[in-house]
Every structure is written in C-alpha cells, then in structure tokens.
Amino acid sequence: MKIFFYAFLLGMTLSISVHATETRAIYNAYAAGMPIMSGIMKISPKKESVFIQTQTHTRGLLSFLLDARTILTSRLTPQQNALPLMQESTMESLTKGKIKKRQVNFSDKPKTLDYQTAIFDLMQQSVPMDKEYVVFDGKRKLKFNFNYQGIKEIYSSKKTIYSGPADYYTLNIEVLEGKKNGWFFKRVKDAKNPPLHLYFANIQGEKQKRLVRGEFDTTLLGTIVIYLSDLSKEI
C-alpha cells in the first residue's frame, strides 16, 4: 500500500517530448506549507524507446513518522496513433529498513500501462482532452479518467519555477480488479471530489507541456501540493 501511495504521489509528474534530450525534473511536496516529500525524475529518450525513473523520499516531520524511499522505473516504446508498448516496469520501496521490489509483467495485458506511461501518453496529445487509461501496478487493475477542466492561472511562488496559464485536469481512479482496502482506495471512490488535480504548462520555451503543479487531498495531512522546483537538460 505504501509503495502505491508514494509512487503515485510523485510518479504522476511525467511529461516529455519523445525527441527531447535527457531531462531531470525536481518536485517538492508540501502539506500546510511544510515539506513532506521530494522527488527527482530522470527521462532518457532513446532511438526506439523511452526510459523513465522517478526517485522519491519523505522529508521533514513525515520522514520521522515514516522514513520511506521509492523508485519507479518504466521503459516503453512510443507508438504513432496508438498506446505505448510497455517493455519494463518496476517498483521498489525502502520502508523501516525493509526493501520490497515488484516487477510488473505486461506481456499478457495489451492496452494496459503503468502510472508514468499513462501520464506520458496523455501529454503526447496535441490538444488538451479527456482521456481514459487502464493501469496495472502488479496487484491492482485500475481505470484512470483524466477530465480536462480548462485553463487556470498558476501564481508566482518561491516553491516553484513556473507561473502563468496551465491546463487543468482532474483525475478519478476506479479499481477494476484487486484489493480495494486502505485509506487511499476509500478516498478514490469519492467521484465528486477527485483524488488528484493536475496542472500542465509550457515551460522554458518547450512545445511539450509539463506538470507544474499537483494537488491531493488527504484526511491526515490536509491538501498536499506538489510543485515543479527545478528542470535541467543534458545532451
């Protein structure tokens, strides 16, 4: 359950052009203005595939309550006018000194993606639109419904490198197969109050949009806000 939440919270921060150079994006998450998590995403496009790796770790008070680190890795082959093909998907977590690793097999699951690849495909669309994806995490089969809500303004802040107009999406999640127990999955059943609010925008002159802000409501920590804190490129 913990690996799902942490990978989901910052692993949903993917957007990239297939033809771009390698990029590193840093995201920081806050609750009540206090830092609770950081993540680094490395995206490496190759000739016929894209490699994505997101590493996250808890910070501040949350790290004392739960010292957790996760690594989410995806390797995929983009397809023109079709869903990407999954080549590799792994999830690794370190919590309370215990390491757990999950290799997800997609060989018998056509038209099914992991978390990061669903976001990747959404951001390859030439115009904002509603999209639906079937996602598998090795234990659960889920339906991701991205609903485009229009343009919203992101205001300047010391926590982020971006301010300006952004495409606003809400994301609802439905568990199709697998266990539905746990606070997170009780939360995602509330369709009237979508689990995630995502904002995408052009940044640093790029044509491809990136996630610049995310919001996630919780009972324990209130609203968690995720900010794009830095972006760098390597050839």
Side-chain angles (χ1 to χ4, degrees):
M1 180 61 225
K2 295 184 180 67
I3 188 171
F4 178 93
F5 172 61
Y6 293 112
F8 184 76
L9 185 62
L10 280 173
M12 295 301 294
T13 55
L14 171 65
S15 53
I16 178 180
S17 168
V18 178
H19 304 292
T21 56
E22 180 177 291
T23 60
R24 291 175 182 266
I26 297 177
Y27 288 87
N28 286 293
Y30 295 81
M34 303 297 292
I36 61 167
M37 189 176 299
S38 291
I40 299 177
M41 175 171 288
K42 178 181 178 182
I43 305 172
S44 305
K46 306 298 182 182
K47 288 184 178 181
E48 297 181 354
S49 64
V50 177
F51 174 83
I52 308 160
Q53 186 177 80
T54 302
Q55 300 183 41
T56 68
H57 64 274
T58 52
R59 295 176 58 196
L61 179 61
L62 185 58
S63 67
F64 288 100
L65 298 175
L66 179 63
D67 184 14
R69 299 174 183 271
T70 67
I71 300 176
L72 180 62
T73 301
S74 306
R75 190 183 301 276
L76 56 112
T77 301
Q79 303 290 306
Q80 189 173 6
N81 301 321
L83 290 175
L85 297 178
M86 297 300 308
Q87 297 180 4
E88 174 187 357
S89 181
T90 61
M91 302 174 68
E92 184 175 338
S93 68
L94 173 61
T95 307
K96 297 180 180 180
K98 296 181 180 180
I99 298 177
K100 295 182 180 179
K101 187 171 183 179
R102 187 188 308 166
Q103 181 83 35
V104 185
N105 183 10
F106 287 89
S107 61
D108 60 344
K109 296 174 179 62
K111 298 182 179 180
T112 304
L113 307 174
D114 67 4
Y115 308 134
Q116 296 189 126
T117 308
I119 295 292
F120 172 88
D121 188 72
L122 175 71
M123 297 312 300
Q124 300 308 303
Q125 310 306 314
S126 57
V127 296
M129 64 179 69
D130 295 348
K131 291 287 289 185
E132 179 180 291
Y133 297 95
V134 176
V135 173
F136 183 63
D137 68 357
K139 288 186 175 181
R140 299 173 182 86
K141 185 178 179 181
L142 310 110
K143 182 187 291 184
F144 280 20
N145 289 301
F146 293 91
N147 298 303
Y148 180 58
Q149 305 294 340
I151 298 176
K152 290 288 185 74
E153 189 74 14
I154 301 296
Y155 296 101
S156 178
S157 167
K158 293 181 179 179
K159 296 183 177 70
T160 182
I161 62 174
Y162 178 79
S163 61
D167 290 329
Y168 169 43
Y169 286 83
T170 55
L171 171 59
N172 280 302
I173 303 170
E174 178 184 352
V175 182
L176 301 176
E177 297 177 7
K179 295 182 179 179
K180 301 181 181 181
N181 60 310
W183 68 268
F184 182 85
F185 291 101
K186 291 179 181 179
R187 172 71 179 83
V188 303
K189 292 178 183 178
D190 185 4
K192 293 182 180 180
N193 188 15
L196 275 175
H197 304 264
L198 307 173
Y199 301 82
F200 298 89
N202 298 104
I203 188 170
Q204 297 183 359
E206 292 185 323
K207 294 182 179 180
Q208 179 67 47
K209 292 185 177 180
R210 294 179 177 272
L211 181 89
V212 293
R213 181 185 175 97
E215 297 174 2
F216 181 84
D217 296 328
T218 69
T219 302
L220 179 62
L221 299 173
T223 300
I224 296 173
V225 183
I226 305 169
Y227 299 93
L228 174 63
S229 302
D230 193 22
L231 179 65
S232 61
K233 303 177 184 180
E234 299 180 6
I235 299 177

